[in-house]
Amino acid sequence: MVLNVAGCNKESIVDGIGIRYTVFVQGCPHNCLGCHNPETHQFGVGTDLELEQICKDISGNPLLDGVTYSGGEPMCFTTELIQLSRMLRDRMGTDFNIWCYTGYIYEDLIKKADKLELLRLIDILVDGAYDISQRDLTLRFRGSLNQRVIDVQKSLHEHRVIELDI
């Protein structure tokens, strides 16, 4: 299976805690004003990468703490990211964490089966569309005040959003 990507950052320190492999999917329906990655908005113009190759790149780097799905809009690629996440969990174990950025909000995502299936494999979700009117450069791992950093597994367990204070 392939994933259409705008690119990958093999060792990022800005897309979550620790050293991360960041996958930037190609395609986003939100088109947020002031988006950090506007080149990722158009669907289908990126590079098709085999999931197996992405997994090999990640598992071959012992320095990595986790992977981050960004974009573009990762929730438009649930089939591919569910498979990639399962492959990574099998190879890297549960200590290897998965972050995901999305313009959607958690409360809407849990209502859709495919999105919920992906959420069950994600540790941290940064949700909410970027809002230039709420821009705040002091925030860690997000760009506007409306965005939340969510502990997905605790939120699913407690049936309410559990935000991280980072």
Side-chain angles (χ1 to χ4, degrees):
M1 181 179 286
V2 299
L3 177 63
N4 194 252
V5 302
C8 298
N9 185 338
K10 295 184 178 191
E11 290 182 359
S12 172
I13 58 169
V14 297
D15 298 309
I17 295 172
I19 301 172
R20 316 194 63 72
Y21 187 105
T22 304
V23 178
F24 296 94
V25 298
Q26 182 66 50
C28 180
H30 305 298
N31 296 305
C32 300
L33 180 64
C35 176
H36 186 69
N37 298 325
E39 68 281 359
T40 66
H41 292 182
Q42 187 176 355
F43 284 87
V45 298
T47 302
D48 285 339
L49 292 181
E50 292 284 340
L51 297 183
E52 181 59 38
Q53 185 57 54
I54 297 171
C55 194
K56 280 183 184 178
D57 285 351
I58 293 169
S59 62
N61 185 345
L63 299 176
L64 294 175
D65 295 299
V67 65
T68 299
Y69 304 142
S70 190
E73 175 53 70
M75 291 297 165
C76 291
F77 300 88
T78 54
T79 301
E80 297 88 342
L81 293 178
I82 288 166
Q83 184 170 338
L84 179 59
S85 299
R86 287 181 177 151
M87 293 166 69
L88 290 169
R89 290 280 184 228
D90 288 345
R91 291 187 194 173
M92 306 297 288
T94 56
D95 288 341
F96 189 80
N97 63 73
I98 299 173
W99 282 52
C100 182
Y101 283 81
T102 181
Y104 297 106
I105 62 168
Y106 174 86
E107 290 86 350
D108 291 337
L109 293 172
I110 61 172
K111 296 174 185 174
K112 298 181 175 153
D114 62 327
K115 313 299 190 244
L116 180 57
E117 187 175 351
L118 179 56
L119 286 173
R120 287 186 175 122
L121 298 165
I122 292 172
D123 298 294
I124 305 297
L125 182 74
V126 181
D127 81 337
Y130 174 72
D131 182 344
I132 198 166
S133 72
Q134 296 188 55
R135 177 181 184 206
D136 185 339
L137 297 177
T138 66
L139 299 172
R140 289 185 74 199
F141 309 121
R142 60 198 189 275
S144 58
L145 290 167
N146 63 300
Q147 296 172 310
R148 303 175 293 182
V149 181
I150 298 170
D151 183 320
V152 177
Q153 297 311 306
K154 283 185 181 178
S155 296
L156 290 171
H157 185 280
E158 294 189 25
H159 305 287
R160 65 183 181 94
V161 173
I162 306 295
E163 289 186 59
L164 296 176
D165 185 26
I166 57 175

